[in-house]
Amino acid sequence: MRRILVTSALPYANGEIHIGHLVEYLQTDIWVRFQQLIGNRCLYLCADDTHGTAVMISARKAGVSEAEFIARMQESHQRDFAAFDIRFDHYGSTNSAANRAICERIWHSIRQAELVVERDVEQLYDPRVGTFLPDRFVRGQCPKCGSPDEPGDNCSRCGHHYSPSELIEPRSTLSGATPELRKAPHLFIELEKLRGFLESWTQTGDHLQAEIANYLKGHFLGEPLRDWDISRPAPYFGFEIPDSPGNYWYVWFDAPIGYIASTHEWCERHGERLDDWWRSPECEVHHFIGKDITYFHTLFWPGMLKTAGFSLPTKVHIHGFLTVDGEKMSKSKGTFVAARTYLRHLDPSYLRYFYASKLSSRVEDLDLAVDEFIAKVNTDLVNKIVNLASRTAKFVESTGLSPTYPDDGGLFVAAAAAGAEIREAFEATDFSRAVRLIVALADRANPFVEERRPWDLRKDPAKAGELQDVCTVALNLFRQIVVYLSPVLPRLAEQAGALLGDPITRWEQSQTPLVGKPVNKFTHMLRRVEEKDVLAMIEESKPAGEVDTATASPAPGVVGSTTWNDSGVPLAAEPLAPECTIDDFQKIDLRVARVIAAEDVPEAKKLLKLTLSLGGDTTKNVFAGIKEAYKPEQLVGKLVVCVANLAPRKMKFGTSEGMVTAASTDGAPPTEVFVITADTGAVPGQRVH
RNA sequence: GGUCCGGUAGCUCAGCGGUUAGAGCAGGGGACUCAUAAUCCCUUGGUCGGGGGUUCGAAUCCCUCCCGGACUACCA
């Protein structure tokens, strides 16, 4: 029996769980349940990741204390996980006494290893809010290309990288205030000192997927590893560093330590020793994470563990992101579905099954195509698998299963043998392969029922024995499939166990048929998915107030903010700029213009080249960063609003003589950009007053 | 631009050196009626991205090009 400790990444306490998060938690939960099913001792641990500026700000906005804020969020997270049958052995919080203690312990080791250096860091500071600003909380004009309102780390227009302090006319997105440059001491971990260890750990053994090891080799280990800035000056929601008053551990220092702290809390409750799980060569440690946090889990984290003498991860399992119908999840398209919203419309088993049917051990994005989702769930689960039971169980309600297992032409034995391959696939987190193999078993079981025609047998009392045998076979094949599928579909396993009076708890149950048992009354196990439910879920996930003009028209004559129920998200994402005067506004000459030509700039990722007419012979050549939102032909003929007196700017592909105005939510993907057009009747050349 | 992954039937994918390339779904035809109109049988459909090469033999190995995606672009 192996002893295995498993974690999923700690969800951040700044937002709700959505179906993208669930890829990871379901993947992990399935693997854990599989391990338990085959008899291994397997613990599944998680916690909320609670620290950092973002939580501090969100709590402030919500008008509650951080403690209150994270408590609410944690409750919400745990409720969602439970609803999807994600079964943690313990769910902690990084804002716990246990975590603080272990952070201190690990910190002490890192200090002792002389890996810490102190250096001053200049960072922008918001004097109005009284806090230092992470890069993404600062916006301003790009120092290179002059593009206004660019984020604090790099320019979305020219791609130039800079530090937020290089921005021209920077402002805080929290308050609109002009940030000040302030110097503060920060603590750094000198990761380069661990190079030897990290090279060998990442490049040998089976700790990482091959593509990840390769990626690290090329991207990080190819040059000196940079020092890791792991402290933040006050105010910061987190743990104060004991030997550095006024400084707090950066959230990414204490977050992974939460894995150990959560284990510690579990140990306290169950009378176990932490060292048996985190300092024992007998115990495997498996982390499941998304590809976005590869860096933290494959370099810093092993470095910290190694230095502090904890077990290194046996394996870091890294998965890709979720896409919906081939595109990134999008709030406006309604594909950014909160777990809570999903639950209002659909059965969690559908998602568990669908994800399982798509997941492999590779670092690939997983696509949820709505049609495929519906087809897979209905065809495989309901029509093929559950159908085996629902078409035969009632014939043996009174007699129960045959006392000995009848001749089934070798079906049960063959499916039992297939278990070895299915088991390997689960072990390797190659769930799509496992599911494919399992469904193939159902494809063989249904023809058996068809051929033996139980519905005819029941008409002849002399064939009662044969009827019982046929149903005994069908129900056993069903049960066998459900045992294999039980890590994916625990509810179905429970229902099947109840039907046959024999709870499904062990993989071995797939190897021996069940005989001589009474059969309970069959009750529905899984409803078919209906397209309208999926569509309703997507509709509900669209931002409130966003009316789909193709399908809905507003009630005439009724106008008011309560009627429209517009979301507060865009404004909150990008608070109002500092006040300006009418004179300030007059400097900007906005004009109505007609797009008379639009063409793609093939070499550019974001740009379209537009020719704007201001009426008469006056035209302007403008490059607009809207390629990902519009096709050129959609724009030709449109009346847009342009900044007509903008200084011309030479760009890689030509000179841009103006700018087309467009609306977007800060932080939204580049596909969510909406060009501002003029109402009917406006003509090119008119000024916007 | 760099790195990596992929391109096999309309769709999702399997096969990854060896008999005429497979499955499920979808399409077409038929059967059945126990079952959540589920099931079963038959069937249409593919120069395995293009081109070179290695080999007795290639979807499978090598080279090259094209296309799609992810990551990355002095950033952690």
Side-chain angles (χ1 to χ4, degrees):
Chain A
M1 183 181 81
R2 291 195 274 158
R3 193 162 67 226
I4 307 172
L5 186 148
V6 180
T7 70
S8 292
L10 312 187
Y12 198 46
N14 196 31
E16 288 199 313
I17 300 302
H18 56 68
I19 58 174
H21 291 116
L22 289 171
V23 170
E24 174 169 315
Y25 300 95
L26 291 178
Q27 180 186 39
T28 316
D29 185 69
I30 290 167
W31 199 72
V32 168
R33 285 177 185 266
F34 164 74
Q35 293 299 343
Q36 293 168 344
L37 187 71
I38 62 175
N40 289 323
R41 179 110 196 270
C42 186
L43 271 194
Y44 183 13
L45 298 161
C46 200
D48 255 23
D49 177 16
T50 58
H51 292 153
T53 308
V55 163
M56 186 169 82
I57 301 294
S58 294
R60 233 177 258 189
K61 276 185 189 165
V64 297
S65 68
E66 286 114 350
E68 167 79 28
F69 185 83
I70 63 173
R72 280 186 204 166
M73 204 52 94
Q74 174 145 355
E75 194 194 330
S76 156
H77 288 173
Q78 288 193 259
R79 194 169 40 185
D80 290 346
F81 289 138
F84 278 89
D85 297 324
I86 293 158
R87 192 172 58 184
F88 300 110
D89 289 282
H90 184 71
Y91 196 93
S93 164
T94 58
N95 195 46
S96 65
N99 200 40
R100 185 193 291 268
I102 297 167
C103 284
E104 289 180 2
R105 196 166 138 193
I106 290 178
W107 179 246
H108 181 70
S109 303
I110 293 171
R111 279 282 201 194
Q112 286 221 309
E114 298 186 340
L115 296 175
V116 182
V117 288
E118 186 173 313
R119 262 205 309 274
D120 280 351
V121 168
E122 283 197 324
Q123 208 184 349
L124 291 177
Y125 181 87
D126 184 329
R128 204 174 297 172
V129 178
T131 180
F132 282 95
L133 295 164
D135 292 1
R136 65 199 163 107
F137 287 110
V138 184
R139 296 185 79 91
Q141 192 181 341
C142 170
K144 189 172 182 190
C145 77
S147 168
D149 197 37
E150 292 297 339
D153 48 357
N154 63 62
C155 174
S156 66
R157 191 162 90 178
C158 70
H160 181 62
H161 279 259
Y162 41 71
S163 78
S165 57
E166 294 174 59
L167 285 170
I168 299 163
E169 292 183 15
R171 61 188 169 68
S172 161
T173 62
L174 300 180
S175 65
T178 301
E180 304 164 3
L181 203 53
R182 286 203 187 177
K183 195 184 282 185
H186 282 229
L187 298 169
F188 292 78
I189 293 180
E190 295 176 295
L191 211 59
E192 179 63 17
K193 287 186 175 170
L194 298 173
R195 160 174 294 276
F197 159 70
L198 289 173
E199 273 178 354
S200 79
W201 186 78
T202 59
Q203 301 304 312
T204 59
D206 189 30
H207 314 299
L208 302 172
Q209 286 129 301
E211 59 261 55
I212 297 294
N214 186 273
Y215 158 79
L216 294 173
K217 190 178 179 181
H219 283 275
F220 298 101
L221 297 168
E223 54 190 275
L225 293 158
R226 281 148 218 269
D227 295 347
W228 184 32
D229 183 355
I230 50 83
S231 76
R232 293 295 181 272
Y236 190 77
F237 179 53
F239 293 139
E240 191 167 18
I241 303 175
D243 53 16
S244 182
N247 287 313
Y248 291 72
W249 282 307
Y250 174 46
V251 57
W252 265 111
F253 178 81
D254 71 59
I257 294 173
Y259 296 142
I260 301 177
S262 187
T263 314
H264 174 84
E265 289 177 344
W266 178 87
C267 286
E268 296 240 296
R269 286 192 194 178
H270 292 84
E272 299 242 357
R273 296 177 51 237
L274 183 66
D275 284 0
D276 289 341
W277 294 91
W278 276 101
R279 284 173 185 270
S280 162
E282 302 302 312
C283 181
E284 301 174 28
V285 175
H286 293 256
H287 298 302
F288 286 79
I289 62 164
K291 63 184 181 184
D292 51 328
I293 55 175
T294 295
Y295 178 72
F296 299 101
H297 284 81
T298 57
L299 294 174
F300 296 143
W301 180 233
M304 286 161 69
L305 291 170
K306 171 78 176 171
T307 306
F310 286 94
S311 299
L312 292 162
T314 308
K315 180 134 190 173
V316 181
H317 305 259
I318 304 180
H319 62 82
F321 296 147
L322 178 71
T323 58
V324 178
D325 280 329
E327 295 180 26
K328 277 187 185 166
M329 292 193 294
S330 143
K331 285 196 169 135
S332 68
K333 286 188 178 141
T335 53
F336 212 103
V337 181
R340 194 74 44 81
T341 310
Y342 177 99
L343 292 165
R344 272 198 285 273
H345 298 273
L346 300 171
D347 188 319
S349 295
Y350 303 159
L351 200 66
R352 292 185 67 103
Y353 178 75
F354 183 77
Y355 283 172
S357 79
K358 301 287 281 185
L359 278 165
S360 75
S361 56
R362 303 262 289 269
V363 189
E364 285 173 335
D365 289 354
L366 184 161
D367 186 45
L368 194 167
V370 169
D371 291 347
E372 191 189 354
F373 173 80
I374 295 170
K376 273 206 149 122
V377 169
N378 287 345
T379 309
D380 297 351
L381 278 186
V382 184
N383 297 356
K384 287 180 180 171
I385 295 173
V386 176
N387 189 225
L388 274 174
S390 73
R391 72 191 305 199
T392 55
K394 73 172 186 183
F395 297 143
V396 282
E397 252 170 42
S398 53
T399 62
L401 300 173
S402 302
T404 56
Y405 190 69
D407 178 17
D408 65 359
L411 284 173
F412 190 93
V413 169
E421 207 177 345
I422 296 168
R423 183 173 164 153
E424 270 173 39
F426 270 120
E427 177 66 46
T429 62
D430 199 353
F431 299 163
S432 62
R433 178 174 166 77
V435 167
R436 208 184 320 124
L437 291 166
I438 294 167
V439 174
L441 302 179
D443 281 330
R444 272 170 244 144
N446 271 306
F448 174 84
V449 178
E450 203 74 19
E451 196 185 316
R452 304 291 289 270
R453 307 179 65 79
W455 53 93
D456 282 345
L457 296 174
R458 71 170 173 160
K459 291 173 189 160
D460 184 351
K463 292 182 175 162
E466 198 182 333
L467 175 63
Q468 189 188 22
D469 283 352
V470 170
C471 295
T472 296
V473 169
L475 289 171
N476 265 293
L477 295 175
F478 167 70
R479 172 171 170 268
Q480 194 173 34
I481 288 166
V482 173
V483 172
Y484 292 147
L485 222 38
S486 63
V488 179
L489 299 171
R491 286 189 200 178
L492 183 64
E494 223 168 87
Q495 290 166 318
L499 178 71
L500 301 174
D502 185 60
I504 290 170
T505 55
R506 302 178 341 270
W507 185 264
E508 287 68 40
Q509 288 172 292
S510 64
Q511 304 299 301
T512 318
L514 202 61
V515 289
K517 285 264 191 180
V519 174
N520 286 309
K521 191 166 169 54
F522 180 83
T523 51
H524 256 40
M525 292 183 172
L526 200 63
R527 191 170 301 285
R528 293 166 61 78
V529 199
E530 293 196 45
E531 188 179 19
K532 68 172 171 57
D533 295 331
V534 181
L535 296 179
M537 174 183 82
I538 288 172
E539 198 54 40
E540 192 188 321
S541 299
K542 289 181 181 170
E546 187 151 313
V547 178
D548 186 343
T549 49
T551 57
S553 54
V558 189
V559 179
S561 60
T562 52
T563 312
W564 295 102
N565 199 22
D566 288 326
S567 159
V569 170
L571 184 61
E574 192 171 4
L576 292 182
E579 191 175 281
C580 76
T581 65
I582 186 81
D583 297 328
D584 290 333
F585 175 70
Q586 289 295 337
K587 287 186 198 158
I588 300 162
D589 195 343
L590 296 171
R591 297 281 172 157
V592 174
R594 190 179 299 280
V595 180
I596 57 174
E599 59 182 288
D600 186 32
V601 182
E603 313 91 295
K605 202 166 168 182
K606 297 179 175 171
L607 295 180
L608 290 181
K609 181 180 175 185
L610 305 180
T611 307
L612 302 180
S613 166
L614 292 179
D617 297 328
T618 312
T619 61
K620 276 185 178 283
N621 191 35
V622 168
F623 288 92
I626 54 174
K627 182 170 180 168
E628 285 164 277
Y630 288 89
K631 293 200 170 87
E633 58 269 28
Q634 289 176 285
L635 294 164
V636 175
K638 269 198 174 158
L639 287 176
V640 300
V641 172
C642 73
V643 184
N645 63 336
L646 192 67
R649 173 149 291 273
K650 233 181 135 174
M651 299 176 69
K652 191 170 170 187
F653 313 105
T655 300
S656 189
E657 302 169 293
M659 187 174 151
V660 171
T661 58
S664 64
T665 299
D666 193 7
T671 48
E672 311 287 319
V673 172
F674 307 93
V675 167
I676 308 298
T677 58
D679 203 353
T680 314
V683 294
Q686 288 179 331
R687 183 162 185 188
V688 178
H689 292 106

